[in-house]
Amino acid sequence: MTHEDQPLGRMEDLPQSYLDDLKARNLVPLWPSLRGVLPPKIPTRQTQPTHWPYETIRPLLLQAGELTPIEKAERRVLVLANPGHGLEKMQASAAIYLGMQLLLPGEWAPSHRHTPNAVRMIVEGEGAYTTVDGEKCPMSRGDLILTPTGLWHEHGHDGDQPVIWLDVLDLPLVYYMEASYHINGNRQTVRPGRGDRAWTRAGIAPTQVFQRSDKRYPMLRYPWADTRAALMALSDDEPDLDCIQITYVNPETGDDAENILGFYALMLRPGQTLRLPARSPAAVFHQIEGQSEVRVTDRAFTLAEADTCCAPGYTEVSLHNLSTETPAFLFIADESPLHRKLGVFEVRD
Ligand SMILES: [Fe+2]
């Protein structure tokens, strides 16, 4: 018998008078809970593999548009909640919050800023925009727009159809840290130009009389057309490459685009199956184009366009393109930057 198999003392093994004495002094015995907080070899994870099909979200979100005016909602969002954490916790994983947000033509979601970092992945509709830190970022399907911690942002919509996007935030973590709050602000003054046009090619950066940008978040919008072209070029250039994936980065430093969550796009060649090793962070997969099968533990999800699913950490994930003729494209969010900063990042083969 190894010492790990050795049963430890339980609460009920202790006399009630002793437990009462501890409780009265705000003390707790560790040994009855020791295996719970430090389980052998692999962490206990509340995050369950979960699939949120877009076709089930969309009608309910449009219904929210009829039931609740934007003034009564500020943000009209249905949260993609993981049942493993309890739906009321409104979290997809330990650190990831996901929400599907609707903005109707003519609506405006007022300016605010908050401590959690956010990104939005545009799911459908044209004509809407997010103004972040005075920069007007148009929204098109597949675009990634950052609203990092502390930056003012507001949403408007000049088009004639509903616009829907997926919000990804590190809210559960920042809330757990007792550091989550927001401040409402006035409508922003929009600067001319668009930041994403300043960094149009990898390897070259805009320069003002030999001075590079020292902004922490120099690029706020990552157009899907550019990301898709980069993945296609990578695939064409390296036909033997198994994993055709890019990371969304700060173009000035190469660091992750935001501090806590990591964001990626991945292309599966026609018919390709890609096995991702078990890694410590949890991850979210959102289908931008095509149809994929995502296998997580004993679950298999068929992701149609705009579907989203999540996988707990320390779990292998297998991605399969269900089309033998066209590539499939996925947007991925995970907790890697956080795990690396904390020193707990791990890959297991
Ligand atoms: Fe916000």
Side-chain angles (χ1 to χ4, degrees), residues 127-267:
Y129 58 88
T130 296
T131 304
V132 189
D133 197 26
E135 191 173 295
K136 190 171 178 176
C137 303
M139 296 174 164
S140 287
R141 172 63 181 145
D143 290 352
L144 185 75
I145 297 172
L146 309 188
T147 50
T149 179
L151 295 197
W152 292 109
H153 54 282
E154 64 197 77
H155 315 303
H157 189 1
D158 299 332
D160 55 9
Q161 296 296 316
V163 163
I164 297 174
W165 64 80
L166 178 69
D167 288 313
V168 186
L169 278 78
D170 47 30
L171 176 63
L173 177 79
V174 179
Y175 181 77
Y176 173 75
M177 301 288 292
E178 300 185 343
S180 176
Y181 71 95
H182 86 283
I183 298 173
N184 286 328
N186 299 322
R187 205 159 192 151
Q188 297 169 70
T189 307
V190 177
R191 288 196 304 274
R194 271 169 36 192
D196 63 87
R197 289 194 188 131
W199 285 267
T200 52
R201 294 284 183 275
I204 56 170
T207 302
Q208 288 299 307
V209 195
F210 305 101
Q211 287 288 327
R212 301 261 299 279
S213 170
D214 58 0
K215 279 184 164 181
R216 170 63 186 91
Y217 304 101
M219 187 164 167
L220 296 169
R221 176 174 181 259
Y222 297 74
W224 173 238
D226 293 348
T227 306
R228 191 185 194 282
L231 288 165
M232 293 294 285
L234 183 58
S235 166
D236 290 346
D237 196 49
E238 303 203 36
D240 297 329
L241 195 63
D242 264 349
C243 182
I244 307 154
Q245 183 181 11
I246 59 92
T247 304
Y248 291 95
V249 297
N250 175 331
E252 287 289 346
T253 63
D255 293 340
D256 292 297
E258 289 187 351
N259 281 320
I260 295 176
L261 301 181
F263 306 102
Y264 319 85
L266 188 143
M267 174 181 146

Side-chain angles (χ1 to χ4, degrees), residues 75 112-114 118 120 147 153 155 169:
R75 264 55 178 176
H112 73 176
R113 64 182 186 180
H114 38 68
R120 58 213 79 255
T147 50
H153 54 282
H155 315 303
L169 278 78

Side-chain angles (χ1 to χ4, degrees), residues 54-67 76 78 102:
Y54 186 58
E55 66 171 8
T56 62
I57 301 172
R58 191 178 187 278
L60 293 167
L61 193 53
L62 291 173
Q63 207 179 336
E66 293 160 18
L67 293 170
R76 200 188 286 106
L78 292 180
L102 168 72

Side-chain angles (χ1 to χ4, degrees), residues 14-48:
L14 296 166
Q16 190 56 48
S17 58
Y18 177 70
L19 291 173
D20 292 344
D21 283 349
L22 291 178
K23 192 173 176 185
R25 290 159 183 80
N26 295 322
L27 297 170
V28 178
L30 174 61
W31 58 96
S33 310
L34 182 61
R35 297 281 191 257
V37 292
L38 281 173
K41 297 184 180 72
I42 189 160
T44 307
R45 285 141 300 151
Q46 309 291 331
T47 304
Q48 288 175 5

